[in-house]
C-alpha cells in the first residue's frame, strides 16, 4: 500500500514511512478510499463500453431504416402498398431505436454520476496524501530529534512515541551507527528498530553527500 501512495521518498525514508503508516490514524481511510476508487474506475469503464455499444447499435438501426426506405421508393409500389409495408418495417426499427435511446440515457446518467464520484474520491485521496506527507515529515523530524538527543531526555517525563521509546531503551548514543545493535528479542519490535536506524543512517549519508 505504501508504494501506491506515490510519495517522493528516499530509500531510508521509505523504510521509516512504512513504520509510520502502519499505525497512522488515516491508514484505513486511505486504503478504503483507494479500494472504492478502483472499483468505481472498473464500473465506469464497463458503463462506458456499454454506452458506446448502444451508440453503435442506434447508428446501425438508423442505417437499416434509411436503406429500407430507399428500397421501398425504388420498387415503385402504389402509395397504399408502400405505406402498409413501410409502416410495419419502420415501426419495428423505430421501436428498437427508442428502446436503445432509453437505455443510453439511463447508462449515460449512471456514468455521469460515477465520474462525479470518482472526481470526489480523487480529490479526497489527494487531500489525504498531502496530510499524510505533512504528518510524516513532522514525525520524521520529531523522531530524529528524540533519537539524537535521547541521552538528555532520559530524565524527562514527556511522552515519547512507541518507536522512540524502544530506540531509547535499546540503543546507547555511541551505538546508533554500530553494526552490532542491541535488540529486544521481539521480532516486530526489532524490525522497527533496525528499519529506523537504517533510515536515519541513509538520511544522514544523503544529506552529507548533498553538501
Amino acid at each position: 500500500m505504501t508504494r501506491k501512495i506515490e510519495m517522493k521518498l528516499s530509500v531510508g525514508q521509505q523504510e521509516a514511512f512504512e513504520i509510520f503508516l502502519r499505525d497512522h490514524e488515516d491508514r484505513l481511510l486511505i486504503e478504503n478510499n483507494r479500494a472504492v476508487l478502483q472499483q468505481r474506475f472498473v464500473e465506469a469503464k464497463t458503463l462506458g463500453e456499454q454506452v458506446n455499444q448502444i451508440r453503435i447499435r442506434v447508428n446501425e438501426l438508423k442505417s437499416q431504416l434509411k436503406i429500407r426506405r430507399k428500397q421501398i421508393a425504388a420498387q415503385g409500389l402504389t402509395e397504399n402498398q408502400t405505406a402498409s409495408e413501410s409502416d410495419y418495417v419502420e415501426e419495428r426499427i423505430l421501436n428498437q431505436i427508442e428502446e436503445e435511446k432509453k437505455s443510453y440515457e439511463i447508462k449515460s446518467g449512471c456514468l455521469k454520476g460515477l465520474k462525479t464520484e470518482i472526481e470526489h474520491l480523487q480529490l479526497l485521496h489527494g487531500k489525504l496524501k498531502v496530510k499524510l506527507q505533512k504528518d510524516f515529515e513532522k514525525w520524521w523530524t520529531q523522531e530524529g530529534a528524540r533519537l539524537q538527543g535521547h541521552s538528555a531526555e532520559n530524565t524527562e517525563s514527556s511522552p515519547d512515541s512507541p518507536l522512540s521509546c524502544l530506540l531509547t531503551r535499546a540503543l546507547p548514543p555511541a551505538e546508533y551507527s554500530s553494526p552490532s545493535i542491541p535488540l529486544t528479542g521481539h521480532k516486530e519490535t526489532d524490525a522497527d528498530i533496525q528499519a529506523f536506524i537504517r533510515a536515519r543512517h541513509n538520511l544522514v549519508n544523503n544529506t552529507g553527500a548533498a553538501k
Side-chain angles (χ1 to χ4, degrees):
M1 203 273 272
T2 55
R3 295 179 181 176
K4 296 171 183 176
I5 293 178
E6 297 179 354
M7 290 175 58
K8 294 182 179 180
L9 302 173
S10 67
V11 176
Q13 285 178 318
Q14 184 66 34
E15 292 184 59
F17 178 72
E18 291 173 359
I19 298 173
F20 165 78
L21 181 60
R22 189 175 59 203
D23 298 321
H24 192 272
E25 60 182 359
D26 291 333
R27 180 179 64 84
L28 292 179
L29 179 59
I30 292 172
E31 290 178 350
N32 292 337
N33 182 77
R34 186 178 182 281
V36 173
L37 187 57
Q38 285 183 328
Q39 180 62 32
R40 294 298 178 266
F41 272 126
V42 172
E43 294 173 1
K45 181 181 179 182
T46 300
L47 274 176
E49 292 172 350
Q50 293 175 352
V51 167
N52 287 334
Q53 289 299 318
I54 293 174
R55 188 183 294 112
I56 292 172
R57 287 196 296 269
V58 168
N59 290 333
E60 290 176 348
L61 288 169
K62 287 181 178 179
S63 296
Q64 292 176 15
L65 184 61
K66 185 177 181 181
I67 292 172
R68 178 59 183 168
R69 286 173 176 174
K70 285 183 179 181
Q71 289 175 342
I72 293 176
Q75 289 175 359
L77 302 176
T78 63
E79 291 184 2
N80 289 337
Q81 291 175 316
T82 303
S84 177
E85 190 172 357
S86 174
D87 286 346
Y88 171 76
V89 175
E90 287 189 18
E91 183 179 358
R92 177 175 59 81
I93 296 177
L94 289 172
N95 285 340
Q96 287 179 313
I97 290 175
E98 286 303 314
E99 290 299 320
E100 293 291 354
K101 284 184 176 180
K102 290 178 182 179
S103 180
Y104 180 87
E105 291 176 0
I106 293 173
K107 293 185 183 299
S108 293
C110 292
L111 182 59
K112 183 177 180 181
L114 274 177
K115 288 182 177 179
T116 299
E117 185 178 359
I118 286 172
E119 290 175 356
H120 173 74
L121 290 170
Q122 288 176 323
L123 180 62
L124 176 60
H125 182 72
K127 289 181 178 180
L128 287 172
K129 189 169 71 172
V130 170
K131 179 179 181 296
L132 183 65
Q133 185 168 1
K134 289 181 178 179
D135 289 348
F136 173 69
E137 290 172 352
K138 180 180 179 181
W139 176 86
W140 177 263
T141 300
Q142 290 176 340
E143 291 300 314
R146 285 176 180 144
L147 185 61
Q148 291 173 352
H150 82 92
S151 294
E153 294 177 357
N154 284 338
T155 58
E156 294 183 4
S157 59
S158 60
D160 287 333
S161 70
L163 178 59
S164 182
C165 290
L166 289 170
L167 289 170
T168 301
R169 290 198 302 267
L171 298 176
E175 295 184 5
Y176 288 155
S177 60
S178 171
S180 178
I181 302 175
L183 300 175
T184 65
H186 187 274
K187 183 176 180 181
E188 184 175 348
T189 298
D190 291 345
D192 287 351
I193 294 173
Q194 291 173 326
F196 191 81
I197 293 302
R198 288 196 302 271
R200 288 297 301 172
H201 180 69
N202 290 338
L203 181 64
V204 171
N205 288 345
N206 291 339
T207 302
K211 295 179 180 181

